[in-house]
Amino acid sequence: MIRTRFAPSPTGYLHIGGARTALFSWAFARHHGGQFILRIEDTDIARSTPEAVQAILDGMAWLGLNHDEGPYYQTKHLYRYKEVIAQMLGNGQAYHCYCSTEELDAMREAQRARGEKPRYDGRWRPEPGKTLPTPPSGVDPVVRFRNPTEGNVAWKDLVKGTIEFANRELDDLIIARGDGTPTYNFCVVVDDWDMQISHVIRGDDHVNNTPRQINILKALGAPVPQYAHLSMILGDDGTKLSKRHGAVSVMQYFEEGYLPEAVINYLARLGWSHGDAEIFDREQFVQWFDLDHITPSAAQFNTEKLRWLNQQYIKAADDARLADLMRPFLVRNGANPDDGPDLAAVCALVKERAATIAELADAATLFYRTLHPTAELLAQHVTPDVLPALADLASRLENISWERSAISAAFKETLAAHGLKMPKLAMPVRVLVTGEPQTPAIDATLELIGQEKVVSRLKAVL
């Protein structure tokens, strides 16, 4: 059984890098008919917050990355970690270390001065024939894992290929703090063991943790999962993706009006590909997804590419769905979505050029607000020489069947009668009826606004 997990730390929002890790872990499990587990790694009690947990759950739900088990919380399993640590202390796989922070700092400083790599020197590590110092009174010791000192630890990474570390380069990892709370690297090992995780798919910032975790798993006699470390995501400028690159929180994309399927599609292409396929739905992605086509090189985030992709999804989206999504954005714009034409019909008219739901609402707002054309626009476009044509057009529009073809015919008849070109008449009509100089096709726009409003707004200046 393929079992993958996504294990975020609830110290902030669900960011784009984490969302991609979750997506790949989810898709791998789905592709193989396996199970996807959500685990909240909240042992950093000082920094973990309920709000961050909720932000992670909200982000996963919005993206549709449904989990089969969980969410599990590490703080609910402290008894299990302490149980395993006690066993390791009992069989000599772990030991107490009484070094103070000051001693450790001095140790590392002396090593640097000698040109050595700073690391714990094993002074409290039990060895045959070695006499340990007398434990100082009043000091709560940490617990360290007794890492092998000989040989190498290696694994075949499913993205990066074979990775190998010499055990002599790995010092004895702290697995429990002085207050007894277990550390991240230890909790991960026990959880992956207990949850029978077969594949660990995570960011390559964890590569240095992996040899330590493998050694602990082997010491416990636990199976070692397969590992796949995803390369980092770079921003538009080629540097590591960060807040300064704009929206890096998944829910920020929701707030800006991106569609979840567009974000999923875009994340899927960050470091993975299937031929030249650019646009595909999640079912197709699950069918295609494998770890063989994940590139080991860094992926580059491109905001404009995401906007383009979102625009394609908006164009293809159901208008009724777009209307529901657009409603809160209209309210935010100060418009009343219940005072105007059918929302879905407006979406159909304006969605071609909108890259986000926010832009869709901006284009639709003119249909749902009180008219306030500026004095500058009125002076520029509603000039005395065009007033006779406006009066003629208003009269024609008042007496037709209100449909787009008839509105277009009324314009053509008015233009012919007064010897005008379309812009000379359409621009003042736009300003008087919508308050804006730019709108979609004037006949389609007027049809949606409605006959009564259009005629009364034209007559208001005559």
Side-chain angles (χ1 to χ4, degrees):
M1 170 69 73
I2 298 293
R3 287 173 62 85
T4 65
R5 46 77 160 180
F6 177 52
S9 173
T11 55
Y13 47 71
L14 177 62
H15 56 78
I16 283 295
R20 183 188 64 167
T21 298
L23 173 63
F24 284 10
S25 299
W26 173 86
F28 187 74
R30 293 288 174 267
H31 177 82
H32 291 282
Q35 295 174 324
F36 174 60
I37 291 90
L38 177 60
R39 186 170 79 215
I40 306 296
E41 299 189 335
D42 58 347
T43 53
D44 187 349
I45 300 197
R47 296 175 60 218
S48 298
T49 66
E51 292 78 16
V53 171
Q54 192 59 52
I56 291 167
L57 298 178
D58 289 346
M60 295 284 286
W62 182 63
L63 292 173
L65 301 181
N66 53 310
H67 47 274
D68 302 296
E69 294 180 20
Y72 295 116
Y73 295 86
Q74 287 186 328
T75 50
K76 302 288 181 64
H77 297 97
L78 293 177
Y79 70 93
R80 170 62 175 154
Y81 309 134
K82 292 179 180 180
E83 176 184 81
V84 178
I85 287 171
Q87 292 173 359
M88 296 177 74
L89 285 168
N91 61 26
Q93 294 172 326
Y95 61 92
H96 288 115
C97 170
Y98 293 84
C99 284
S100 65
T101 302
E102 292 75 20
E103 285 180 289
L104 292 172
D105 288 343
M107 181 192 305
R108 296 186 185 103
E109 192 58 42
Q111 289 167 336
R112 290 191 189 95
R114 295 193 298 268
E116 300 172 0
K117 178 182 176 181
R119 62 198 302 274
Y120 176 65
D121 63 8
R123 65 183 60 179
W124 286 95
R125 177 181 171 123
E127 299 288 4
K130 176 180 179 180
T131 301
L132 296 176
T134 302
S137 60
V139 175
D140 294 322
V142 301
V143 177
R144 289 185 181 270
F145 169 62
R146 189 168 177 164
N147 195 77
T149 57
E150 302 295 329
N152 301 320
V153 55
W155 72 96
K156 185 178 180 181
D157 195 276
L158 298 176
V159 172
K160 296 181 175 296
T162 299
I163 300 177
E164 187 170 348
F165 286 77
N167 277 320
R168 66 176 179 273
E169 295 296 319
L170 307 172
D171 56 7
D172 290 351
L173 181 72
I174 295 175
I175 59 176
R177 304 176 184 89
D179 62 2
T181 58
T183 59
Y184 163 78
N185 272 299
F186 183 74
C187 295
V188 167
V189 164
V190 175
D191 286 340
D192 286 346
W193 178 24
D194 287 351
M195 296 176 186
Q196 300 178 298
I197 300 302
S198 65
H199 292 75
V200 174
I201 301 170
R202 59 188 179 185
D204 66 0
D205 52 331
H206 288 283
V207 165
N208 289 335
N209 293 328
T210 303
R212 302 176 184 279
Q213 294 174 8
I214 290 176
N215 280 340
I216 297 174
L217 284 164
K218 288 181 175 179
L220 294 171
V224 177
Q226 296 189 65
Y227 293 91
H229 288 92
L230 311 175
S231 294
M232 71 171 64
I233 301 174
L234 304 178
D236 298 87
D237 57 1
T239 61
K240 186 176 180 180
L241 191 67
S242 65
K243 289 181 180 179
R244 62 189 170 83
H245 292 104
V248 290
S249 161
V250 166
M251 294 312 289
Q252 190 171 335
Y253 288 102
F254 162 74
E255 292 164 5
E256 291 181 2
Y258 286 82
L259 299 179
E261 58 267 34
V263 176
I264 286 284
N265 192 158
Y266 185 74
L267 289 176
R269 293 285 285 110
L270 279 179
W272 174 88
S273 62
H274 182 81
D276 296 326
E278 287 284 350
I279 301 177
F280 43 82
D281 61 27
R282 72 178 60 224
E283 289 75 20
Q284 188 68 75
F285 174 55
V286 167
Q287 182 181 336
W288 287 340
F289 185 74
D290 58 24
L291 299 176
D292 296 337
H293 291 89
I294 295 176
T295 175
S297 57
Q300 189 157 0
F301 193 89
N302 185 317
T303 304
E304 286 307 309
K305 182 67 176 290
L306 173 58
R307 281 177 53 80
W308 173 84
L309 192 60
N310 200 60
Q311 185 174 26
Q312 308 315 304
Y313 275 93
I314 286 177
K315 286 180 181 180
D318 177 73
D319 294 326
R321 179 193 173 205
L322 291 178
D324 288 339
L325 294 172
M326 184 177 69
R327 178 176 285 271
F329 287 87
L330 284 172
V331 174
R332 192 168 71 185
N333 284 356
N336 181 359
D338 296 317
D339 182 22
D342 177 67
L343 281 171
V346 172
C347 286
L349 178 63
V350 302
K351 70 180 185 179
E352 282 299 310
R353 295 183 180 180
T356 66
I357 301 298
E359 291 182 7
L360 189 70
D362 289 343
T365 295
L366 65 89
F367 292 96
Y368 303 97
R369 64 184 170 100
T370 304
L371 187 65
H372 293 297
T374 65
E376 291 78 8
L377 281 175
L378 290 171
Q380 181 181 355
H381 298 291
V382 187
T383 54
D385 60 321
V386 79
L387 290 177
L390 287 172
D392 188 3
L393 178 65
S395 177
R396 294 176 190 274
L397 293 176
E398 192 173 20
N399 297 289
I400 62 171
S401 173
W402 199 252
E403 54 190 29
R404 186 172 179 178
S405 59
I407 295 169
S408 179
F411 265 89
K412 291 176 182 177
E413 291 165 4
T414 305
L415 293 173
H418 295 268
L420 298 175
K421 298 290 187 183
M422 187 63 169
K424 184 67 175 177
L425 182 59
M427 287 301 287
V429 171
R430 283 190 171 94
V431 170
L432 290 170
V433 175
T434 73
E436 301 287 345
Q438 303 286 336
T439 71
I442 188 62
D443 51 358
T445 299
L446 298 187
E447 181 185 32
L448 285 176
I449 289 174
Q451 190 169 20
E452 183 179 343
K453 284 184 178 179
V454 169
V455 173
S456 64
R457 289 174 181 179
L458 289 177
K459 287 186 172 183
V461 297
L462 302 176

